[in-house]
Amino acid sequence: MASARAEFAGSGYDRASIRAIARGADVNPALVHHYFGTKEQVFAAAVASAAAPATQGLDAEARFAAQEFGESFTRLFFGIWENPEGRAPLVAILRSAMNNDTAAAILRRFVAGELLSRVAGGLDAPDAELRAELAAAQLVGVALLRYVLRVEPLAAIPAEELVRRLAPVVQHHLTGTD
C-alpha cells in the first residue's frame, strides 16, 4: 500500500502503473495483481487505507451527542488532514479524482459508502443523507483550498481556528433547521 500511495501521489492515477507500484515495493507485478487485482482495485485499496483514520474515527464519534457532532466531526476531519503522513495520500487522491473519471468514481463510491453513510446514519432527520453531504462538501472544499491549492490566508491559519469557525456551520448542516 505504501508503494501504491507513493506511486499515485507522484504520478497521478493516469500515469501510475501496476509495474511501477510493484517496482516500488520490490515485488513482482503478478504479486500486486494477486493481492489487489487491477489498477482500479489498487487505487480503491489506497483510498480505503488513506481514509482509515476517518472511518475508525467516525465509528468512535457515535458516542457523542447530536449537539456536539459538528465540532467532533470537524475536529476529526482536520486532525487527519493536519497529520503530514496522512495528508500526502489524501492530496494525491483528491488530485487524481479531479483529473480522472475512474478515480473520481472510486472515491465517490468510497465516500458515499464508507464515510457519509456513517455520518447520515447517526442523524435523526428525513434528509440525513443530504445533510451529511452538505457538511462533507463544506469540509472538503476547505481542504481543497487549504491543502491542495494552498490558498492564503486559509492555508496558513491554525487548524484550531478552522475548527472553531467551521464547526458551527457543519453543526447547522447536520442538525439545524432549514
Side-chain angles (χ1 to χ4, degrees):
M1 276 294 78
S3 177
R5 286 191 304 266
E7 182 63 23
F8 288 121
S11 300
Y13 181 84
D14 287 328
R15 293 191 334 243
S17 70
I18 295 291
R19 288 182 193 270
I21 292 167
R23 190 171 36 256
D26 199 26
V27 298
N28 187 297
L31 196 60
V32 176
H33 281 293
H34 175 75
Y35 283 103
F36 297 103
T38 65
K39 180 168 89 168
E40 291 83 8
Q41 291 168 311
V42 175
F43 186 76
V47 168
S49 173
T55 56
Q56 293 162 356
L58 284 172
D59 288 341
E61 295 302 314
R63 70 182 187 277
F64 290 104
Q67 65 271 18
E68 299 171 349
F69 194 77
E71 181 175 348
S72 299
F73 183 46
T74 305
R75 190 170 299 286
L76 169 70
F77 183 85
F78 285 108
I80 293 165
W81 277 93
E82 285 296 307
N83 175 347
E85 288 179 22
R87 183 182 322 135
L90 292 171
V91 167
I93 288 165
L94 272 182
R95 283 185 178 145
S96 291
M98 289 172 32
N99 293 324
N100 181 280
D101 290 340
T102 302
I106 292 167
L107 182 60
R108 185 172 39 254
R109 278 193 305 271
F110 179 82
V111 167
E114 296 295 324
L115 299 177
L116 295 179
S117 63
R118 285 184 167 111
V119 173
L123 300 176
D124 185 23
D127 59 349
E129 188 175 305
L130 175 61
R131 289 174 175 275
E133 288 174 3
L134 287 169
Q138 184 81 49
L139 296 175
V140 171
V142 171
L144 181 64
L145 290 171
R146 179 178 172 90
Y147 303 107
V148 178
L149 301 176
R150 295 184 182 111
V151 174
E152 293 294 345
L154 187 61
I157 67 171
E160 190 57 38
E161 185 174 345
L162 284 175
V163 171
R164 183 180 58 76
R165 289 178 177 233
L166 290 170
V169 178
V170 171
Q171 183 69 36
H172 177 75
H173 285 313
L174 296 173
T175 62
T177 58
D178 295 339

